[in-house]
Amino acid sequence: MGLSKSFQLVLFIVFGLLIYRIYTVENNEVQEQGEIARANYQQYVQTIDQWHGSGEALYQRMSKVFSFQFFQYIHNTDSNENFTHGSLLRPADDFASEIFNVELGHVQDFPDGRLQVRLDTASVLSPSFNDLEQTATLLITAYIALMLLFAVLMQLHRKRINYAAEYITHIPDLSFLAIEKSRFPGVLHPIGKALEICRSQLKLSLDRVRKENEQLTKAAYQDPVSGFSTRQRFTQHIEAISKKDKQQYGVLVVIKAAELATINELHGRAAGDDYLAKLATCIRKSVTNLGLSECFRVSSGDFAVFIESITLKEGERFLEQLKRHLDEYAQSTKSDSVAHAGMVPYEQGIEPVALMTLADTAVSVAQTLGPNRYYQLEKLSANEQFGNDHWKVTIDDLINRRSIKFYQQPIQPCNNDTEVYRELLARFYNSEGKHLPTTTVIAMAERYGMNVDLDKMIVTQTIKILSENPSLSGQMGVNISASSALQDSFTMWLKDILSKHRGTAARLVFELNESGMQANLESSHKFVTEIHKVGAKVAVERFGLGFTSFKFFREVRPDFIKLDSSYSDNIEQDNNNKFFIRMIVDIAKRISIRVIATGVEKQDEKLVLEKLLVDGLQGYYIAKPEALLIKQ
């Protein structure tokens, strides 16, 4: 039951009890007055108890003193003396008699007859009834007034509650209008205060959530290293261009930081991030004053720039400025190359795949031209194959001219009983002596089936260098493609050439990527077995990224496994990596395989890895790569 109905019920009961109480008092008064009237009558009757005469004469005498509702005298012998006045039935309009039940009847015997009377109750009932009527009227009036007042107050109260309810209902709509405090007087004041506090706190919370969402959106759509938009934004942008409902044109520039993998390997991940950040600065400087442009980082080492409303010829100014900034950056860091750029035109309705294919081809051509070079490709035609053919010619040329140089990076043993080696890092050059991105050269060689010839050249040059430079002591690691190693023809060729150089073969450790060896465990095992026959060793690099299993250990049995650098990164805080390395070390030691941790860039990482009992450490913190000093 609600407050309104409860209050009405209580008020009704209270006023009902008051009226009943007053009625009880008045009824008692009526009964007392009735007893007095009856006693007075009886006393009077005693004075005439010897009455002899007619009933009418008796009525005339007694009516002077009393009022009768009913009077009846019955003579004992003479009916002519009988007299009756009034009625025993109460009048229909005698409401007082209905309220107060009082009987003033009396029977008296006389010598000649019998008298029966009922006194009129008006004199007894009127005062009490009037008092009761007046009091009841007053109480009922007060009750009605209170009910009306309560109804008015409840209406006001209901409006205030409805206001509060409506305000709360609109909170999900993020409507935070100021609270009208005047609507919450008295006992409702705490509600108004609570709503005001709620409004303030929710507004603060939403502001905080909004800022956090902005930060998350920024993190999701803005690359933290370069400050450019991420791949998601790039995809949205290129899809917008592909729509035909908006007239637009411009140029797309794809910039490949082809040295990222080399810098990460030679100088560490921190240097790689710094390299990307400075490359982004070069791009940002180059687009200044060129109109509306959008810059994106679409992958780890790939950037894209859309410059609107310029032609390919006008865009060359951007490429020239970019090359100037890249050359300045390369000179300041004493590096051979920073990046390569390819520029292609676009217009509304162009297919994104065709556009990116053309841009990738332009970059591929630029990479074959030398450090920090760019190339513009204009037509969307069969020219897409030009870049591919250019790479084939370039790789074939560097193989024939043996345009390769080596850097070396030592591996530090964790104890004196462990024998490790130095890794040789290959660098390639075009016909003009310009440095070519190593990662791209290897990728293109594998794409076009030239990896076997490239690996043969690398092996031949390594054997030649070791044979002609006796001052180079110790074991040397040589990187070759896993796809080459899994081919029987290459394995036989390698075994044959190493058989002719047994002394040098015993110093070589061939490094292959784990994911490539996982593709065919049988061929991988055969390669390791044949290499062992001529005294050379095998190391599996980037171990832990592929489907690592006990079967790989059991069937392939390499001499070394080199953990991927991601396992060294902040290993002091990563218990999962600790568990993985501890398990690998335990299994490897049981079957005499040595475990080398790579990518060691901090002292904390070195100390933790040593405690995990790895056999060797490699990374920027251990030793930086340096040019291999050989006689020409």
Side-chain angles (χ1 to χ4, degrees):
M1 185 180 294
L3 175 64
S4 177
K5 293 183 178 179
S6 298
F7 179 79
Q8 294 177 25
L9 179 60
V10 170
L11 198 64
F12 178 79
I13 293 173
V14 169
F15 276 85
L17 291 174
L18 286 175
I19 293 176
Y20 177 74
R21 176 59 181 167
I22 295 170
Y23 166 76
T24 302
V25 172
E26 295 297 335
N27 186 52
N28 291 336
E29 179 67 21
V30 166
Q31 299 302 327
E32 291 178 1
Q33 293 299 323
E35 291 298 326
I36 293 173
R38 187 183 292 109
N40 291 335
Y41 171 78
Q42 291 175 352
Q43 185 178 2
Y44 176 79
V45 168
Q46 293 300 323
T47 62
I48 60 171
D49 59 347
Q50 296 301 318
W51 171 264
H52 295 280
S54 66
E56 183 178 0
L58 180 60
Y59 172 75
Q60 293 296 331
R61 179 177 178 176
M62 295 182 68
S63 62
K64 295 179 180 179
V65 181
F66 301 99
S67 296
F68 298 98
Q69 176 188 334
F70 176 74
F71 183 95
Q72 185 180 55
Y73 178 78
I74 304 298
H75 197 273
N76 292 335
T77 58
D78 186 1
S79 60
N80 292 324
E81 299 294 329
N82 293 346
F83 180 80
T84 301
H85 172 78
S87 173
L88 288 174
L89 296 176
R90 293 170 178 165
D93 59 350
D94 189 4
F95 183 68
S97 297
E98 296 291 336
I99 298 298
F100 300 109
N101 186 18
V102 58
E103 294 291 341
L104 299 181
H106 186 264
V107 177
Q108 179 69 38
D109 292 326
F110 290 96
D112 296 330
R114 184 172 180 268
L115 175 65
Q116 180 180 359
V117 300
R118 175 173 290 178
L119 297 175
D120 187 6
T121 59
S123 61
V124 176
L125 296 180
S126 293
S128 297
F129 180 77
N130 291 336
D131 291 344
L132 177 61
E133 184 180 28
Q134 293 175 2
T135 304
T137 301
L138 181 61
L139 288 175
I140 291 173
T141 302
Y143 173 76
I144 294 174
L146 286 175
M147 290 301 296
L148 291 175
L149 178 61
F150 179 76
V152 172
L153 293 176
M154 282 302 298
Q155 185 63 25
L156 293 175
H157 190 69
R158 189 174 291 108
K159 287 183 178 179
R160 291 161 182 164
I161 292 176
N162 288 338
Y163 170 77
E166 185 178 1
Y167 188 89
I168 295 172
T169 302
H170 284 85
I171 285 179
D173 300 334
L174 306 183
S175 175
F176 294 109
L177 299 176
I179 297 292
E180 297 181 24
K181 295 182 179 179
S182 61
R183 291 183 179 247
F184 301 99
V187 295
L188 293 179
H189 180 70
I191 295 179
K193 187 176 180 181
L195 283 175
E196 178 62 27
I197 294 173
C198 177
R199 181 187 74 87
S200 301
Q201 293 297 325
L202 280 176
K203 192 173 185 303
L204 290 174
S205 297
L206 283 175
D207 289 341
R208 183 168 60 252
V209 170
R210 190 177 293 110
K211 290 180 181 179
E212 291 175 354
N213 285 338
E214 290 175 357
Q215 292 176 353
L216 290 173
T217 301
K218 185 177 181 180
Y221 294 108
Q222 184 176 29
D223 174 56
V225 176
S226 63
F228 292 163
S229 297
T230 59
R231 185 178 182 85
Q232 291 91 335
R233 294 290 193 194
F234 171 78
T235 302
Q236 295 171 4
H237 191 83
I238 200 170
E239 286 178 353
I241 292 175
S242 66
K243 296 179 180 179
K244 299 180 180 180
D245 56 349
K246 182 180 179 182
Q247 185 71 26
Q248 54 185 325
Y249 71 95
V251 294
L252 165 63
V253 186
V254 173
I255 302 156
K256 286 187 178 290
E259 296 301 308
L260 178 61
T262 303
I263 290 177
N264 283 337
E265 188 173 16
L266 297 180
H267 306 292
R269 294 181 299 275
D273 288 344
D274 181 65
Y275 158 64
L276 292 176
K278 290 181 178 177
L279 173 57
T281 300
C282 293
I283 297 172
R284 197 174 287 110
K285 289 180 180 178
S286 303
V287 297
T288 305
N289 301 324
L290 281 180
L292 186 61
S293 61
E294 292 281 348
C295 300
F296 306 89
R297 184 184 177 189
V298 295
S299 66
S300 58
D302 293 350
F303 297 86
V305 179
F306 286 94
I307 307 176
E308 296 184 8
S309 304
I310 67 171
T311 63
L312 202 63
K313 184 176 181 180
E314 293 171 333
E316 189 171 5
R317 184 158 57 97
F318 164 77
L319 295 175
E320 291 172 350
Q321 292 178 355
L322 178 62
K323 186 177 187 309
R324 178 168 57 83
H325 290 305
L326 295 179
D327 289 340
E328 291 174 355
Y329 175 37
Q331 291 176 6
S332 66
T333 57
K334 298 181 180 180
S335 58
D336 294 328
S337 180
V338 177
H340 299 87
M343 177 180 287
V344 295
Y346 71 84
E347 58 186 8
Q348 78 279 1
I350 190 172
E351 287 294 329
V353 174
L355 181 63
M356 291 306 300
T357 299
L358 190 65
D360 184 65
T361 301
V363 176
S364 296
V365 174
Q367 289 175 322
T368 65
L369 300 179
N372 304 330
R373 295 295 295 273
Y374 60 83
Y375 191 81
Q376 293 175 295
L377 198 56
E378 182 174 4
K379 295 182 180 180
L380 301 173
S381 63
N383 287 334
E384 284 89 345
Q385 294 298 319
F386 175 68
N388 300 340
D389 296 337
H390 210 283
W391 263 115
K392 290 179 182 179
V393 172
T394 301
I395 295 175
D396 185 64
D397 178 68
L398 71 87
I399 290 174
N400 292 331
R401 290 185 300 99
R402 302 184 185 277
S403 299
I404 184 173
K405 292 182 181 179
F406 288 104
Y407 282 69
Q408 63 173 345
Q409 185 178 28
I411 299 173
Q412 176 183 299
C414 291
N415 58 73
N416 295 330
D417 297 330
T418 302
E419 184 181 1
V420 289
Y421 58 94
R422 286 178 288 172
E423 181 180 358
L424 295 180
L425 307 170
R427 305 291 294 275
F428 304 102
Y429 298 85
N430 65 9
S431 58
E432 298 176 0
K434 303 295 185 180
H435 170 254
L436 297 174
T438 303
T439 305
T440 306
V441 170
I442 295 173
M444 289 296 181
E446 289 192 358
R447 178 185 296 181
Y448 305 121
M450 306 177 73
N451 55 291
V452 171
D453 292 334
L454 184 64
D455 286 334
K456 286 181 178 180
M457 186 267 286
I458 293 172
V459 172
T460 302
Q461 287 301 103
T462 302
I463 293 175
K464 179 182 178 182
I465 289 171
L466 295 181
S467 300
E468 296 177 353
N469 294 270
S471 60
L472 295 176
S473 60
Q475 293 184 320
M476 296 289 181
V478 183
N479 287 276
I480 61 173
S481 168
S483 60
S484 298
L486 297 182
Q487 297 183 35
D488 291 340
S489 59
F490 176 81
T491 302
M492 292 301 102
W493 174 87
L494 182 60
K495 180 182 177 182
D496 182 62
I497 194 172
L498 292 178
S499 298
K500 297 176 182 178
H501 301 84
R502 290 276 182 174
T504 302
R507 298 173 56 194
L508 293 179
V509 179
F510 293 97
E511 294 193 1
L512 298 91
N513 189 283
E514 181 210 13
S515 60
M517 297 187 74
Q518 287 278 6
N520 192 328
L521 294 183
E522 183 178 352
S523 296
S524 297
H525 173 67
K526 182 178 179 181
F527 175 81
V528 173
T529 301
E530 296 299 326
I531 293 301
H532 283 171
K533 288 180 181 179
V534 292
K537 294 182 175 61
V538 177
V540 178
E541 64 173 350
R542 304 199 71 183
F543 190 84
L545 290 185
F547 179 66
T548 304
S549 67
F550 297 104
K551 187 177 182 180
F552 183 87
F553 284 101
R554 186 177 69 248
E555 296 190 6
V556 178
R557 293 293 182 96
D559 302 281
F560 301 90
I561 55 174
K562 299 179 71 174
L563 300 172
D564 186 74
S565 60
S566 61
Y567 289 99
S568 301
D569 187 18
N570 292 321
I571 190 173
E572 69 277 9
Q573 303 173 8
D574 195 330
N575 291 327
N576 290 331
N577 281 353
K578 289 179 185 177
F579 175 79
F580 175 82
I581 294 176
R582 188 180 294 112
M583 179 185 67
I584 294 299
V585 168
D586 181 62
I587 298 172
K589 286 186 179 299
R590 293 175 185 270
I591 52 179
S592 301
I593 297 177
R594 294 167 188 166
V595 180
I596 297 172
T598 65
V600 182
E601 299 185 4
K602 298 186 297 186
Q603 184 180 24
D604 290 342
E605 295 172 351
K606 175 179 179 293
L607 295 175
V608 171
L609 289 165
E610 287 176 337
K611 291 180 181 179
L612 293 173
L613 303 179
V614 298
D615 297 290
L617 302 170
Q618 184 181 18
Y620 192 69
Y621 180 78
I622 304 302
K624 302 176 183 179
E626 56 185 17
L628 189 66
L629 300 178
I630 58 176
K631 62 180 181 179
Q632 302 296 327

